[in-house]
Amino acid sequence: QVQLVESGGGLAQPGGSLRLSCAASGSRFRINAMNWHRQVPGKQRELVAGITSGGSTNYADSVKGRFIVSRDNAKNTLYLQMNRLKVEDTAIYYCEADWMTPEPAVGRSWGQGTQVTVSS
């Protein structure tokens, strides 16, 4: 099993920035794709940004040009740099990772979520 712990959420003003982190832990695992999702109460969870183990990235249209997803494979950590924040970016942000072990076993883990609030 792989555990994910997010950090870095909080309150920001419109036009401001926040950086989210997601650290993975476990034993003898290899992480493949890692993604950030967000959810507003009453709405479906949506994919915000993703990155493969090779570094290829993809973004939702709503965050392109403002958010940057990156990862440090040596530290098994995923990041989301959020710039030019908008009120509509307010949500709970979740990281997600697809992983495999030598057994072999594959799985998907989710973080507990971190609140991002954009407000003046």
Side-chain angles (χ1 to χ4, degrees), residues 3-73:
Q3 294 79 41
L4 303 176
V5 178
E6 298 124 336
S7 60
L11 176 65
Q13 292 188 335
S17 299
L18 285 173
R19 189 190 194 208
L20 305 183
S21 299
C22 173
S25 63
S27 62
R28 303 192 305 146
F29 64 93
R30 173 184 172 181
I31 294 181
N32 297 319
M34 301 185 81
N35 301 292
W36 286 102
H37 302 254
R38 67 186 180 188
Q39 188 168 24
V40 175
K43 294 188 176 181
Q44 283 193 327
R45 189 172 295 187
E46 65 169 340
L47 176 65
V48 175
I51 184 168
T52 67
S53 57
S56 296
T57 59
N58 62 281
Y59 297 92
D61 287 342
S62 58
V63 306
K64 278 181 183 177
R66 300 188 298 121
F67 290 11
I68 301 171
V69 62
S70 62
R71 62 192 285 175
D72 184 331
N73 290 330

